[in-house]
Amino acid sequence: MSDLFLCGALGDRRLASVVLDLAPEGFSDAVLPDHRVVVEAACPMGAVEAQEGASVTGLLATGVSEQTRARLAYFLAVFGARLWSVEAAGLAVWVSVRSEEGARASGGWPDAVGSTRFSDYMCRVAGEIMGYHDVYTPAEMAKRLPVIRSRAQLWVNQRAEPGDPAHDLDRDVVVRQVHRPYLNFFTVQELDLQYRRQDGTMSEVINRGALQIGEASAVLPYDPVADTVLLIEQFRASVYMGGSRSPWIWEAVAGMVDVGETPEETAHREAMEEAGLTLRHLEPLASGYSSPGCMCDRLFLYVGLTDMSQMVEAGGLVSEGEDIRREVMSFDAFLEGIDSQKFRALPLIAMGLWLARHRDRLRAIG
């Protein structure tokens, strides 16, 4: 049996409960004397260091099993930290310290450590990590951490939005069981659930699965002076796997929204990475779900005003397996391609039709 002292982000009872699989009331408030905690942007779990006269406020879990301690060690290792045994003022506990490998997490956070929003976000991250703790090594899970964090950001962002006044999720959706059959770059989650029907009755228990992705931005670069757009073409494995004999697809510039990044910042970043363009202005078109029957995602669509003559070399990130061809075409040729069904990416088609409606206004802006 062991005693665990939790601080930093893990000083949150909800998060500690998810990681250790203990009830929130199983933790007590505690103070570790002669130590300090260092919370870093890359790893907010909180590394404990000896410092005479200092003290750390946190949570104490006493008499936990070796299995519970192993859960905490696994979670910390995913973030590049480890457990260490310390003694202070008669308190002998295991605490989090920096690993020699260093913190593995990258990017920012959706809010300050200790806030309700951060707690919601980290509980979502921890739930997915610990759902596979007996499947993947910490190093394997660390490789999946960026996309896990992206999915958690989508969930937190959507939970912060106003709900549907016609429905109460606490009454109108009942989750009976959660299944996680697959986790890689994307993940699949299945739920056995009931939902309230249109006639007011509850449905029978049904099983539904969804491909969980995260937030993404897509931007169509448009030069209002030259009246041209830029499209990119790249190989899409999913189209190939669906049986298509032409899996090279014309699309708008697009990419996943990094944690701590706004959709607008993503659009600007991807425009430079994939198209070599600096956008001087973004026109928001819409945000929504690309395929609400089977995917958990949210796509933000923009038209980006730019000067095509200032385009620099680009082609995507080799580290992400991107191999991109660019083509600048007149808007008339682009619209003709939509009408002739040359283009197969529906977001690109929607953006082109929006631009057709607003083209005169944007050309007047110049």
Side-chain angles (χ1 to χ4, degrees), residues 127-340:
E128 191 164 337
I129 289 174
M130 300 311 297
Y132 296 94
H133 77 281
D134 55 351
V135 178
Y136 299 107
T137 67
E140 290 171 335
M141 183 60 72
K143 293 178 181 178
R144 296 162 168 83
L145 189 55
V147 290
I148 290 173
R149 298 178 69 212
S150 178
R151 289 190 286 270
Q153 177 170 262
L154 168 64
W155 190 87
V156 169
N157 287 345
Q158 297 208 116
R159 285 287 169 164
E161 295 176 351
D164 180 356
H167 297 283
D168 179 353
L169 290 184
D170 292 333
R171 295 187 310 107
D172 296 343
V173 181
V174 179
V175 177
R176 300 298 183 183
Q177 195 166 1
V178 179
H179 312 274
R180 294 185 173 94
Y182 172 82
L183 171 67
N184 204 337
F185 183 75
F186 299 134
T187 186
V188 173
Q189 185 179 73
E190 293 183 3
L191 299 179
D192 296 335
L193 57 79
Q194 296 173 275
Y195 70 93
R196 194 167 303 281
R197 299 178 185 272
Q198 301 291 351
D199 64 5
T201 63
M202 293 299 290
S203 72
E204 68 278 8
V205 176
I206 60 174
N207 176 271
R208 292 292 184 268
L211 180 66
Q212 296 189 311
I213 301 176
E215 293 179 321
S217 289
V219 57
L220 177 64
Y222 175 61
D223 186 330
V225 176
D227 197 26
T228 55
V229 298
L230 180 141
L231 308 185
I232 62 172
E233 183 190 55
Q234 57 186 322
F235 173 79
R236 287 304 192 187
S238 59
V239 178
Y240 172 79
M241 287 186 278
S244 173
R245 296 179 62 85
S246 53
W248 278 264
I249 303 297
W250 287 107
E251 299 175 302
V253 170
M256 300 294 295
V257 178
D258 289 342
V259 176
E261 186 178 53
T262 67
E264 293 83 2
E265 289 170 339
T266 302
H268 283 286
R269 172 174 56 79
E270 292 290 344
M272 178 53 66
E273 289 179 5
E274 296 188 349
L277 287 170
T278 299
L279 307 178
R280 67 172 181 269
H281 176 70
L282 283 176
E283 285 280 332
L285 279 63
S287 67
Y289 312 110
S290 56
S291 185
C294 62
M295 291 172 58
C296 299
D297 72 336
R298 182 159 64 173
L299 181 61
F300 296 84
L301 301 180
Y302 302 94
V303 164
L305 302 188
T306 188
D307 181 354
M308 297 290 183
S309 69
Q310 300 301 310
M311 183 168 52
V312 299
E313 287 299 318
L317 299 179
V318 175
S319 61
E320 296 181 1
E322 294 178 332
D323 177 52
I324 293 173
R325 181 165 73 95
R326 303 173 295 177
E327 182 170 328
V328 176
M329 65 179 64
S330 71
F331 180 78
D332 288 340
F334 175 47
L335 203 56
E336 182 180 341
I338 293 177
D339 290 340
S340 64

Side-chain angles (χ1 to χ4, degrees), residues 49-60:
E49 299 176 343
Q51 181 174 320
E52 186 176 354
S55 63
V56 181
T57 301
L59 300 176
L60 185 65

